[in-house]
Amino acid sequence: MRALIAIRLSVETDATTSPERQLEICQSFAGGRGWTIAGVARDLDVSAVKVRPEERPELGNWLRNRSHEFDVIVCWKLDRIVRSVADLSDLIKAGDRDGFALVSATQPFDLTDMMGRAMAQIVAVFAELEAAMIAERVASARRHMRETGRWAGGHVPFGYMAVPREGGGLTLVPDPELAETIREAAKRALNGESWYTLAAWLTETGVPTPRDADAVRRGKDPKRPVWHPETLAQIMTSPVLLGYAMHKQRPVVGPDGQTLPPAFPEILSDDTHRAVLAEARKRRGNRSERQKGAAPLLGIAVCDECSTQDEHVRLYGDGLTLDKPRYKCTKYANRPVGGCGMTVSVRALDPWVERELLARVGSWHLMEAVTTPGRDVAAELADLDARMEDLRADRAAGIYRSDADAAWFRSTYADMQDERDRLAAIPANDDESPVYRPTGRTVADEWEAADTEARRQLMLDLGVHVHVKRSPRKGKLTQAQMEGRFRMEITNPSALAVEDAYDALAVEDFLHSPEAGAAREASGVRGLNIRVTAA
């Protein structure tokens, strides 16, 4: 008979010897019966609970594509193949269909007869029970470690490193170099630099990404570090920088459902982290909003080469304080992996944008929106719903099996439900739709009086996008050739009214008139949608 030896191990380390022992025992077992070895399926760092036999890298390939090359699968123990009755049943059915049997080298059953199959089913039941008990012990141990200030294992949070803890186990402390980088990034963000600019800075200075830092820590070769703004924003706003132990991207809560105190030394102070979080929320709520000091056309100038109908790839300012400031495509740093590398002179683009904008909508009159403040509890409800979902997931996973745990779960969940009912009973935000009123100022008036940041904010409010094409050739371009690379769109002038509609009493009628349509067409402005009431 032709034997396929199947070896599996959930976690492989440098000190692991189990695979070699499994192979030696299975080879001896097959040799003693005169079987030839058709091959060896090694699946290391593979969980039998999470990955079914047919989905494993090596055994799965044998089962799907090479089942005609062996007559029997030999394993050290049954739990090296399956840890659930369902997986065993499926494997037996596959063997009946494809003509192979399953044999354990150390357990008294042989699936080539009915008694052996019955014994295997019994063994599988206990293997499944053992897996469930292990999962419960691991979950309980990790919960205890998180609650007592020990690091529970897994990926080390960016900015930290794991070190031995007094009293046993490991704890987290700030990595000197990475922690200082995070503090510098926080300082720059609060001084107005965008996540895009900061991500480009990290890439250009060679700071390892979280994945690369983790690879180096594990003794593996890092890839070329390319930072993305979303990754950086997620790191800078995470409570882990305050020293909190985390579970499913949220601070760990205690038995009473309240967040536990920080377990590790902080990287950012509470005040700094609050300021960064507030800044990030402001940018997330209105992605067009930035602080002073950013590039004049940040969020406005986009790369025509890399942008699509659904996504604008922005340009960021580079060397704005140097002799030759430029805008670069956000993908500039990714040129080796697909970025376009397009740049354009700030001194060529900024004046063109000013002339083009004022020529098209400079005479339009600005309107101001008047709203009534209200209260919105949506964020509180979303956070509470997420915590309740975590509890339900843990319950479904069988973590709260004991009577005491089950009682705690019911009590805690009931308290959360009461809190949710209380929040849900609060009236929703009663803000009225914005009411727009004339300000008496034109776009040109506002532009003339504004500083660089205010001008950029005005363009963002208008929905201005400036598309920049790649240079048609190398070398110096004429002014006409340079400006031929630029194209302006104005897609959301929600703060404007046309000049002929300055009388507030006539605005509503005018916006629906043929004259308004003609004015919009003449100005090249799309999407005008304003509701104005009399003062």
Side-chain angles (χ1 to χ4, degrees):
M1 294 181 67
R2 301 167 299 171
L4 170 66
I5 296 177
I7 296 171
R8 186 193 63 79
L9 193 66
S10 296
V11 179
E12 183 186 25
T13 66
D14 292 339
T16 296
T17 59
S18 176
E20 287 71 23
R21 293 201 306 271
Q22 291 183 45
L23 178 60
E24 181 181 350
I25 292 173
C26 290
Q27 286 176 331
S28 176
F29 178 86
R33 284 157 179 73
W35 298 345
T36 59
I37 306 300
V40 178
R42 293 174 177 266
D43 289 308
L44 307 182
D45 279 331
V46 176
S47 168
V49 175
K50 299 178 181 179
V51 186
R52 298 167 60 85
E54 63 272 16
E55 297 171 353
R56 294 171 198 163
E58 294 205 12
L59 180 59
N61 180 51
W62 281 90
L63 293 175
R64 293 191 306 270
N65 306 314
R66 305 177 62 181
S67 60
H68 60 283
E69 298 182 24
F70 61 91
D71 305 303
V72 61
I73 297 177
V74 179
C75 59
W76 177 46
K77 292 184 178 180
L78 186 62
D79 62 10
R80 297 302 90 193
I81 296 287
V82 296
R83 276 195 178 271
S84 76
V85 176
D87 286 351
L88 176 61
S89 177
D90 290 343
L91 190 59
I92 291 174
K93 291 178 182 178
D96 291 341
R97 182 188 66 239
D98 297 331
F100 65 82
L102 176 63
V103 175
S104 168
T106 59
Q107 293 169 314
F109 67 82
D110 185 333
L111 295 189
T112 57
D113 59 56
M114 293 304 297
M115 183 59 70
R117 293 192 178 193
M119 289 295 298
Q121 294 280 0
I122 295 173
V123 172
V125 168
F126 283 97
E128 186 171 355
L129 176 61
E130 181 186 17
M133 294 175 64
I134 291 173
E136 184 174 358
R137 288 197 302 270
V138 169
S140 177
R142 288 188 172 181
R143 184 167 60 247
H144 176 72
M145 285 190 288
R146 288 191 294 264
E147 293 176 355
T148 56
R150 292 173 59 188
W151 181 52
H155 293 287
V156 176
F158 185 80
Y160 283 91
M161 59 184 182
V163 298
R165 174 178 177 270
E166 185 178 352
L170 297 174
T171 189
L172 297 179
V173 298
D175 181 291
E177 293 185 6
L178 296 182
E180 187 57 37
T181 298
I182 290 173
R183 296 186 188 105
E184 177 65 19
K187 179 180 177 181
R188 291 189 176 202
L190 294 177
N191 284 335
E193 292 192 42
S194 69
W195 299 130
Y196 294 92
T197 303
L198 291 172
W201 164 64
L202 293 175
T203 298
E204 291 172 359
T205 54
V207 175
T209 62
R211 179 171 295 182
D212 278 353
D214 191 62
V216 171
R217 196 176 294 113
R218 295 171 180 266
K220 298 181 180 179
D221 294 331
K223 298 181 180 179
R224 184 181 184 275
V226 177
W227 279 85
H228 297 283
E230 295 79 7
T231 302
L232 178 59
Q234 185 178 25
I235 290 172
M236 298 302 298
T237 57
S238 172
V240 76
L241 298 183
L242 297 174
Y244 285 103
M246 305 290 287
H247 179 55
K248 297 182 179 179
Q249 299 183 343
R250 290 186 176 84
V252 174
V253 298
D256 58 356
Q258 301 300 313
T259 301
L260 294 174
F264 313 115
E266 65 182 22
I267 291 178
L268 296 181
S269 68
D270 187 64
D271 289 343
T272 300
H273 188 264
R274 285 179 182 272
V276 172
L277 188 60
E279 177 64 20
R281 285 173 175 168
K282 185 190 302 182
R283 298 179 185 186
R284 187 164 57 244
N286 180 6
R287 290 185 182 275
S288 64
E289 188 169 348
R290 298 291 189 270
Q291 294 295 327
K292 293 182 180 180
L297 296 181
L298 183 63
I300 297 165
V302 299
C303 177
D304 200 61
E305 304 291 331
C306 299
S307 296
T308 65
Q309 184 175 359
D310 299 323
E311 178 186 13
H312 283 144
V313 176
R314 300 176 181 179
L315 306 186
Y316 69 93
D318 182 60
L320 298 182
T321 61
L322 303 180
D323 293 336
K324 296 182 179 181
R326 308 190 68 79
Y327 291 109
K328 291 182 178 181
C329 173
T330 310
K331 296 186 177 181
Y332 182 87
N334 296 2
R335 281 182 293 173
V337 290
C340 75
M342 192 272 291
T343 69
V344 64
S345 169
V346 170
R347 293 171 181 168
L349 182 58
D350 284 4
W352 180 89
V353 169
E354 179 175 359
R355 293 195 306 270
E356 184 72 7
L357 179 72
L358 296 181
R360 291 172 61 172
V361 296
S363 62
W364 287 50
H365 284 265
L366 291 172
M367 311 292 287
E368 61 182 356
V370 180
T371 58
T372 303
R375 181 181 177 188
D376 187 359
V377 298
E380 295 175 70
L381 282 171
D383 180 68
L384 187 57
D385 285 341
R387 290 168 56 192
M388 294 172 71
E389 175 61 27
D390 286 345
L391 279 180
R392 290 195 296 269
D394 289 345
R395 175 73 167 178
I399 292 179
Y400 308 110
R401 291 191 174 187
S402 70
D403 292 342
D405 283 344
W408 175 87
F409 171 84
R410 287 191 291 270
S411 174
T412 302
Y413 195 86
D415 291 342
M416 288 183 171
Q417 186 63 57
D418 290 343
E419 175 66 9
R420 196 191 188 290
D421 292 342
R422 186 187 69 80
L423 291 174
I426 297 175
N429 193 334
D430 292 326
D431 286 357
E432 298 177 358
S433 298
V435 176
Y436 293 92
R437 301 182 185 279
T439 65
R441 303 187 308 276
T442 65
V443 173
D445 294 335
E446 191 76 7
W447 185 271
E448 182 65 27
D451 59 15
T452 299
E453 173 62 20
R455 288 182 175 184
R456 185 166 62 86
Q457 188 60 55
L458 175 61
M459 287 188 285
L460 291 166
D461 290 341
L462 297 175
V464 173
H465 284 113
V466 177
H467 293 256
V468 182
K469 295 182 179 180
R470 189 194 298 269
S471 177
R473 61 179 178 84
K474 294 183 177 181
K476 189 173 182 180
L477 303 180
T478 65
Q479 181 175 348
Q481 290 173 327
M482 176 65 74
E483 294 182 354
R485 300 171 58 191
F486 312 148
R487 174 172 59 88
M488 179 180 288
E489 288 183 341
I490 305 177
T491 59
N492 185 35
S494 59
L496 297 181
V498 293
E499 183 175 6
D500 293 343
Y502 180 64
D503 183 352
L505 297 177
V507 168
E508 190 71 27
D509 292 336
F510 180 84
L511 291 177
H512 298 88
S513 68
E515 291 80 4
R520 291 194 293 270
E521 183 68 25
S523 298
V525 176
R526 299 185 289 109
L528 183 61
N529 183 17
I530 313 171
R531 184 170 74 84
V532 182
T533 59

